[in-house]
Amino acid sequence: MDDVEMLETRTEIYTGDEQDLQKHKKTLFGMYQGEAEEVKFEIASDIVDRLFDTFGDEICFEDKGDGKLGCKAEVQISPTFLMWCLSFGDKLKVIVPEKVKERLSSYTE
């Protein structure tokens, strides 16, 4: 940074579509982007706080009985997201979409 100089060239300001940055950030895992998907989970009720930490207090849960809850969230499917799912062991199960379930099973084989 010894020879820094000011240029007369102006940069263009982005004029594309506005994005909901807060929503976008909630779908990321470890800042890794991937294909956005709505994922439905079945979780053990004792990890509900971990999902609130990840998805915020806007996530809703449905009682499935036997200490299980159902919920859904929009996420960007990335290796980091898949590892996050697997970190819960049998306390978190992806119900749909099928292609996410298949990718998860390829990590566990």
Side-chain angles (χ1 to χ4, degrees):
M1 301 282 303
D2 291 332
D3 297 318
V4 176
E5 62 183 82
M6 189 87 144
L7 299 175
E8 296 297 322
T9 309
R10 296 181 137 280
T11 59
E12 291 188 32
I13 298 174
Y14 177 74
T15 59
D17 295 336
E18 288 186 33
Q19 290 188 357
D20 184 344
L21 187 57
Q22 293 301 326
K23 181 180 177 187
H24 177 71
K25 284 171 49 177
K26 283 183 184 179
T27 66
L28 294 175
F29 279 78
M31 299 304 291
Y32 287 93
Q33 288 187 310
E35 181 181 350
E37 290 281 348
E38 183 177 84
V39 177
K40 292 185 180 181
F41 303 98
E42 183 177 274
I43 66 164
S45 59
D46 62 340
I47 66 166
V48 73
D49 288 342
R50 302 272 307 274
L51 272 75
F52 275 126
D53 289 345
T54 301
F55 299 114
D57 58 2
E58 296 171 4
I59 192 166
C60 296
F61 296 94
E62 175 186 355
D63 187 1
K64 296 289 191 180
D66 295 328
K68 303 274 187 202
L69 300 171
C71 63
K72 62 183 175 181
E74 187 167 325
V75 298
Q76 293 190 30
I77 309 303
S78 66
T80 306
F81 166 72
L82 299 171
M83 291 298 118
W84 176 84
C85 290
L86 294 172
S87 74
F88 293 103
D90 63 353
K91 293 183 179 225
L92 183 142
K93 180 179 177 182
V94 171
I95 304 301
V96 290
E98 193 63 37
K99 62 183 171 182
V100 174
K101 289 172 57 175
E102 289 170 3
R103 286 185 65 187
L104 277 170
S105 67
S106 74
Y107 278 90
T108 59
E109 292 177 348

